[in-house]
Amino acid sequence: MKHALLLFLSADRLHAQVMSAGKISLSRNFIDTAEGRSDFSAFLKSVKCKAYLLTDLIEEDFRHEVVPHLSGKSRSALFQRKFDQFYRGTPFHQATLLQRQTTGRRDDEILFSALTNPSLITPWLDIMLAMKTPLVGIFSVPQISSPLVKDHPSKHLLLISWEKFSGLRQSYFSDHRLQISRLTPLSEEQSFITAVIKELSRTYVYLKSLSLLPAGQTLDVRILCHSNDINALKSQLPQNDDMRYDFADIVSVGNIHKIDHQFTDSDASQIFLHQLISSKLKSDYANDQHKHFYNLWIFRRALNWGSGGLLLISIFLALANVIQNSGNDEETLLLESQADRIMQEVEMLTQNLPKTEVLPIDMKSAVTVMGKLDQYQPSSITQLHNVSTSLNLFPKIQLSNIDWLTDSNEPIADNTNAEFPAQVITLRGNLKGFNGNYRDALTYLERFQIDIGKRGYQVEVLSKPLDISSSASLANQRDTNENPLRFTLKLAWRPAL
Amino acid sequence: MNFSKADFPLIRASVITALVSVLLSGIIVYSSQAYSDYAQKEFRKASNHLNDVRNRRNNALQDREYLETYSKDYESLQARNIIGDERRLDWMEELDKLRRQNLVIDFGYNISPQSIYSSLPTLDSGNLNINYSEMKLQFDLLHEEQLLNFLSAMQKQVQGHYQLKECKMQLASTNNKDIEDNIPQVSVNIKAECTGGWITLKNRNAQS
């Protein structure tokens, strides 16, 4: 916390101190008079930070109530009814949940409390509202005492402290939860030690009468005081089984809470004032109207932080973008220089190329296409020569027809190139000079097939001179001379792979 | 928390700061994004330009290679009248020259209208149309070698490319004699018919 205005309100005065970085930078006291209030108003003009108001007044009332466990609007309505019932005349009230019962309906145990004399607070509060001081809340000394007893193991504990401007404060805690609190103003002649001795016994009787302290229960008493007073208190306090004492050295407590203040007596005002800013207090006596300027202050700070954050994020994003893309810039320059160099190369190449009417790619296409077509059309002379050469070896074969064509649909034989269409030659002819010797004629034709096959042709017999297969019909031939032995062969050729 | 008009002066500076901050942040982010977009766009542009230039270099190198490899063959195709429009009159004149050489007993031909050549397997002809003018040849032959000799002579002497598809040869049934004229005729032993076509290549973009 950088700056905060801490206000301590007692019955007859208002103590104000400005905290800067944990230290008191300015301290003033204002008497509850017209002049004092006027001074306070002038003082607030120069102080522009959030303010905490701590009250230490006799007129603070506490009531225990067990109420049904409710939530939301029902709970608020119930509490409002209770406030109207108990504290109709004051706007400074609050309800604190002590615990939820574990049996029965599991009702809530609530501590209703209020500052019952608003006339002590309102004048100062009106000035703060008029000066638009951001008021964090209105707190009371008993409320903020809890952190000072939370380390004590006792279930029934009385905390005694002395505030110079208000008096002797005695707050009773059961299970570390505030039950009641009393403030006894001290006269100027009365010392802290005598007041403690006198008021402690009264309080013990009071607690007994309210049945807050069970019968036979020892009351633990923690006294917040300066080390100078501890010995005197030890020697003068009554020693019996009813009470057990524990002395909290105010200097040690101040050190624990890192309070930058020189404690010279048992005045615990600074301890409680520091509790305001070091403890996270959940509830207080101020309502929304009292905190209006504080809410505005929070809103303003949120806006300021949000604005700063937004600017920072956008700057960060922008920087990230710039850093990320600075590499791109360098690469772009590199690419451009590379492109320029290659472009010069291209221009040189283009200038050196001879001028042609057609594109080189078209030249390539033309030459390639014609090359393919040449390959698709192997020399018919070669094909027919092959056949002729073979036929010369078989003079008993007489051809009547030779058909030659290129056919892409011809089945592709093993080890031949499928990219080329097949050259298909169909031979029709007959066998002469066998004088009815079919066996020799068929053997002769088979030898021709084998020979032509060796020259790279796939040979298919379309018709034989005599079909001697089991599926064919067969009849005797009366005059072999008048019945030529006709046959048809299909030869297919593709270039080898 | 309820706000009223009276509260505005208290938060005015913060509201203005917030608005300015939003505006500035918007400008900063937008500017940096614009810069980023611009830088990336320039990078992509440079990258595309480089790729384009590389392609042009590759194309130029390829053109040089193609010219070195194919220009002579292409000139040869041009010399053979394979490139460009077909030359039917030249074919007719050159076939007549062949007739006068008496390579076969007799032959006739029939050239059909030009069409686009469809081959199997399909040929990738790039930017060229493969035009095809089918020509059927009928022959009267003394023996089969005459046909082979004729086809060989046609490939050599006629400027163009004749793509032969099919030939059928058949023994003639009888010897022909014109009895009325009492002129002895050469004996026709074989009848043949061949089918093929003249191939010409033409650029698709060239005007006909």
Side-chain angles (χ1 to χ4, degrees), chain A residues 299-320:
Chain A
F299 180 67
R300 206 169 59 221
R301 277 177 69 88
L303 275 178
N304 291 343
W305 278 106
S307 305
L310 189 64
L311 261 179
L312 275 178
I313 289 169
S314 57
I315 289 168
F316 174 76
L317 284 175
L319 278 175

mmCIF file of all heavy atoms in Angstrom, chain A residues 299-320:
data_model
loop_
_atom_site.group_PDB
_atom_site.id
_atom_site.type_symbol
_atom_site.label_atom_id
_atom_site.label_comp_id
_atom_site.label_asym_id
_atom_site.label_seq_id
_atom_site.Cartn_x
_atom_site.Cartn_y
_atom_site.Cartn_z
ATOM 1 N N PHE A 299 -13.164 2.089 -9.272
ATOM 2 C CA PHE A 299 -13.491 2.087 -10.697
ATOM 3 C C PHE A 299 -12.447 2.883 -11.492
ATOM 4 O O PHE A 299 -11.987 2.459 -12.553
ATOM 5 C CB PHE A 299 -14.897 2.674 -10.887
ATOM 6 C CG PHE A 299 -15.340 2.715 -12.313
ATOM 7 C CD1 PHE A 299 -15.589 1.551 -13.017
ATOM 8 C CD2 PHE A 299 -15.505 3.931 -12.975
ATOM 9 C CE1 PHE A 299 -15.987 1.588 -14.337
ATOM 10 C CE2 PHE A 299 -15.905 3.979 -14.292
ATOM 11 C CZ PHE A 299 -16.149 2.798 -14.972
ATOM 12 N N ARG A 300 -12.071 4.046 -10.898
ATOM 13 C CA ARG A 300 -11.093 4.896 -11.570
ATOM 14 C C ARG A 300 -9.740 4.189 -11.677
ATOM 15 O O ARG A 300 -9.096 4.198 -12.719
ATOM 16 C CB ARG A 300 -10.937 6.186 -10.760
ATOM 17 C CG ARG A 300 -10.481 7.364 -11.588
ATOM 18 C CD ARG A 300 -10.595 8.649 -10.808
ATOM 19 N NE ARG A 300 -9.811 8.638 -9.589
ATOM 20 C CZ ARG A 300 -10.208 9.133 -8.431
ATOM 21 N NH1 ARG A 300 -11.411 9.682 -8.332
ATOM 22 N NH2 ARG A 300 -9.445 9.085 -7.374
ATOM 23 N N ARG A 301 -9.372 3.544 -10.574
ATOM 24 C CA ARG A 301 -8.090 2.816 -10.591
ATOM 25 C C ARG A 301 -8.137 1.662 -11.583
ATOM 26 O O ARG A 301 -7.162 1.391 -12.293
ATOM 27 C CB ARG A 301 -7.769 2.282 -9.180
ATOM 28 C CG ARG A 301 -7.117 3.337 -8.309
ATOM 29 C CD ARG A 301 -6.885 2.789 -6.926
ATOM 30 N NE ARG A 301 -5.866 1.756 -6.896
ATOM 31 C CZ ARG A 301 -4.563 1.983 -6.745
ATOM 32 N NH1 ARG A 301 -4.136 3.230 -6.615
ATOM 33 N NH2 ARG A 301 -3.699 0.996 -6.705
ATOM 34 N N ALA A 302 -9.296 0.966 -11.609
ATOM 35 C CA ALA A 302 -9.435 -0.148 -12.567
ATOM 36 C C ALA A 302 -9.285 0.367 -13.989
ATOM 37 O O ALA A 302 -8.611 -0.262 -14.821
ATOM 38 C CB ALA A 302 -10.789 -0.829 -12.375
ATOM 39 N N LEU A 303 -9.921 1.533 -14.226
ATOM 40 C CA LEU A 303 -9.800 2.130 -15.564
ATOM 41 C C LEU A 303 -8.345 2.470 -15.878
ATOM 42 O O LEU A 303 -7.847 2.186 -16.962
ATOM 43 C CB LEU A 303 -10.643 3.403 -15.651
ATOM 44 C CG LEU A 303 -12.120 3.249 -15.998
ATOM 45 C CD1 LEU A 303 -12.797 4.607 -16.003
ATOM 46 C CD2 LEU A 303 -12.318 2.561 -17.338
ATOM 47 N N ASN A 304 -7.668 3.082 -14.872
ATOM 48 C CA ASN A 304 -6.273 3.487 -15.095
ATOM 49 C C ASN A 304 -5.369 2.279 -15.337
ATOM 50 O O ASN A 304 -4.560 2.259 -16.255
ATOM 51 C CB ASN A 304 -5.743 4.288 -13.899
ATOM 52 C CG ASN A 304 -6.410 5.647 -13.800
ATOM 53 O OD1 ASN A 304 -7.014 6.106 -14.766
ATOM 54 N ND2 ASN A 304 -6.345 6.277 -12.640
ATOM 55 N N TRP A 305 -5.551 1.260 -14.469
ATOM 56 C CA TRP A 305 -4.729 0.053 -14.628
ATOM 57 C C TRP A 305 -5.059 -0.639 -15.955
ATOM 58 O O TRP A 305 -4.161 -1.135 -16.637
ATOM 59 C CB TRP A 305 -4.967 -0.907 -13.455
ATOM 60 C CG TRP A 305 -4.162 -0.547 -12.247
ATOM 61 C CD1 TRP A 305 -4.609 0.029 -11.105
ATOM 62 C CD2 TRP A 305 -2.753 -0.734 -12.065
ATOM 63 N NE1 TRP A 305 -3.586 0.226 -10.211
ATOM 64 C CE2 TRP A 305 -2.418 -0.239 -10.782
ATOM 65 C CE3 TRP A 305 -1.739 -1.250 -12.855
ATOM 66 C CZ2 TRP A 305 -1.129 -0.259 -10.267
ATOM 67 C CZ3 TRP A 305 -0.447 -1.284 -12.348
ATOM 68 C CH2 TRP A 305 -0.150 -0.780 -11.066
ATOM 69 N N GLY A 306 -6.377 -0.671 -16.218
ATOM 70 C CA GLY A 306 -6.799 -1.298 -17.483
ATOM 71 C C GLY A 306 -6.202 -0.574 -18.675
ATOM 72 O O GLY A 306 -5.707 -1.206 -19.619
ATOM 73 N N SER A 307 -6.220 0.767 -18.605
ATOM 74 C CA SER A 307 -5.669 1.564 -19.714
ATOM 75 C C SER A 307 -4.188 1.283 -19.884
ATOM 76 O O SER A 307 -3.709 1.042 -21.001
ATOM 77 C CB SER A 307 -5.859 3.059 -19.434
ATOM 78 O OG SER A 307 -7.201 3.339 -19.192
ATOM 79 N N GLY A 308 -3.486 1.293 -18.734
ATOM 80 C CA GLY A 308 -2.044 1.029 -18.780
ATOM 81 C C GLY A 308 -1.769 -0.370 -19.301
ATOM 82 O O GLY A 308 -0.891 -0.570 -20.153
ATOM 83 N N GLY A 309 -2.541 -1.332 -18.763
ATOM 84 C CA GLY A 309 -2.355 -2.730 -19.178
ATOM 85 C C GLY A 309 -2.610 -2.902 -20.661
ATOM 86 O O GLY A 309 -1.852 -3.583 -21.360
ATOM 87 N N LEU A 310 -3.691 -2.262 -21.106
ATOM 88 C CA LEU A 310 -4.050 -2.378 -22.526
ATOM 89 C C LEU A 310 -2.940 -1.805 -23.409
ATOM 90 O O LEU A 310 -2.547 -2.413 -24.415
ATOM 91 C CB LEU A 310 -5.360 -1.628 -22.773
ATOM 92 C CG LEU A 310 -5.998 -1.800 -24.138
ATOM 93 C CD1 LEU A 310 -6.402 -3.243 -24.352
ATOM 94 C CD2 LEU A 310 -7.221 -0.906 -24.280
ATOM 95 N N LEU A 311 -2.430 -0.653 -22.971
ATOM 96 C CA LEU A 311 -1.339 -0.031 -23.740
ATOM 97 C C LEU A 311 -0.106 -0.922 -23.767
ATOM 98 O O LEU A 311 0.509 -1.119 -24.815
ATOM 99 C CB LEU A 311 -0.979 1.319 -23.122
ATOM 100 C CG LEU A 311 -1.574 2.548 -23.794
ATOM 101 C CD1 LEU A 311 -1.146 3.796 -23.056
ATOM 102 C CD2 LEU A 311 -1.165 2.646 -25.253
ATOM 103 N N LEU A 312 0.210 -1.473 -22.572
ATOM 104 C CA LEU A 312 1.389 -2.341 -22.491
ATOM 105 C C LEU A 312 1.229 -3.559 -23.382
ATOM 106 O O LEU A 312 2.148 -3.944 -24.105
ATOM 107 C CB LEU A 312 1.606 -2.781 -21.038
ATOM 108 C CG LEU A 312 2.384 -1.815 -20.167
ATOM 109 C CD1 LEU A 312 2.477 -2.362 -18.752
ATOM 110 C CD2 LEU A 312 3.795 -1.620 -20.722
ATOM 111 N N ILE A 313 0.033 -4.180 -23.300
ATOM 112 C CA ILE A 313 -0.204 -5.389 -24.115
ATOM 113 C C ILE A 313 -0.092 -5.052 -25.596
ATOM 114 O O ILE A 313 0.528 -5.787 -26.370
ATOM 115 C CB ILE A 313 -1.587 -5.989 -23.778
ATOM 116 C CG1 ILE A 313 -1.551 -6.606 -22.388
ATOM 117 C CG2 ILE A 313 -1.996 -7.046 -24.804
ATOM 118 C CD1 ILE A 313 -2.900 -7.001 -21.839
ATOM 119 N N SER A 314 -0.696 -3.911 -25.961
ATOM 120 C CA SER A 314 -0.667 -3.567 -27.389
ATOM 121 C C SER A 314 0.764 -3.262 -27.839
ATOM 122 O O SER A 314 1.171 -3.653 -28.935
ATOM 123 C CB SER A 314 -1.591 -2.385 -27.681
ATOM 124 O OG SER A 314 -1.222 -1.292 -26.906
ATOM 125 N N ILE A 315 1.528 -2.592 -26.952
ATOM 126 C CA ILE A 315 2.927 -2.315 -27.304
ATOM 127 C C ILE A 315 3.710 -3.623 -27.423
ATOM 128 O O ILE A 315 4.502 -3.825 -28.342
ATOM 129 C CB ILE A 315 3.573 -1.369 -26.259
ATOM 130 C CG1 ILE A 315 2.983 0.037 -26.410
ATOM 131 C CG2 ILE A 315 5.087 -1.336 -26.404
ATOM 132 C CD1 ILE A 315 3.315 0.981 -25.286
ATOM 133 N N PHE A 316 3.429 -4.531 -26.474
ATOM 134 C CA PHE A 316 4.103 -5.831 -26.502
ATOM 135 C C PHE A 316 3.774 -6.577 -27.795
ATOM 136 O O PHE A 316 4.661 -7.126 -28.462
ATOM 137 C CB PHE A 316 3.661 -6.646 -25.287
ATOM 138 C CG PHE A 316 4.191 -8.050 -25.283
ATOM 139 C CD1 PHE A 316 5.514 -8.304 -24.947
ATOM 140 C CD2 PHE A 316 3.384 -9.121 -25.629
ATOM 141 C CE1 PHE A 316 6.007 -9.600 -24.958
ATOM 142 C CE2 PHE A 316 3.866 -10.417 -25.642
ATOM 143 C CZ PHE A 316 5.188 -10.651 -25.296
ATOM 144 N N LEU A 317 2.479 -6.573 -28.142
ATOM 145 C CA LEU A 317 2.057 -7.256 -29.377
ATOM 146 C C LEU A 317 2.718 -6.619 -30.597
ATOM 147 O O LEU A 317 3.190 -7.312 -31.504
ATOM 148 C CB LEU A 317 0.534 -7.184 -29.530
ATOM 149 C CG LEU A 317 -0.274 -8.116 -28.634
ATOM 150 C CD1 LEU A 317 -1.759 -7.856 -28.799
ATOM 151 C CD2 LEU A 317 0.034 -9.566 -28.974
ATOM 152 N N ALA A 318 2.734 -5.265 -30.561
ATOM 153 C CA ALA A 318 3.329 -4.553 -31.699
ATOM 154 C C ALA A 318 4.811 -4.881 -31.819
ATOM 155 O O ALA A 318 5.317 -5.144 -32.910
ATOM 156 C CB ALA A 318 3.126 -3.051 -31.516
ATOM 157 N N LEU A 319 5.499 -4.896 -30.656
ATOM 158 C CA LEU A 319 6.926 -5.209 -30.676
ATOM 159 C C LEU A 319 7.156 -6.621 -31.188
ATOM 160 O O LEU A 319 8.062 -6.865 -31.996
ATOM 161 C CB LEU A 319 7.511 -5.066 -29.265
ATOM 162 C CG LEU A 319 7.880 -3.644 -28.858
ATOM 163 C CD1 LEU A 319 8.332 -3.619 -27.408
ATOM 164 C CD2 LEU A 319 8.994 -3.103 -29.752
ATOM 165 N N ALA A 320 6.306 -7.543 -30.682
ATOM 166 C CA ALA A 320 6.438 -8.940 -31.124
ATOM 167 C C ALA A 320 6.266 -9.027 -32.634
ATOM 168 O O ALA A 320 7.012 -9.732 -33.322
ATOM 169 C CB ALA A 320 5.408 -9.808 -30.413
#
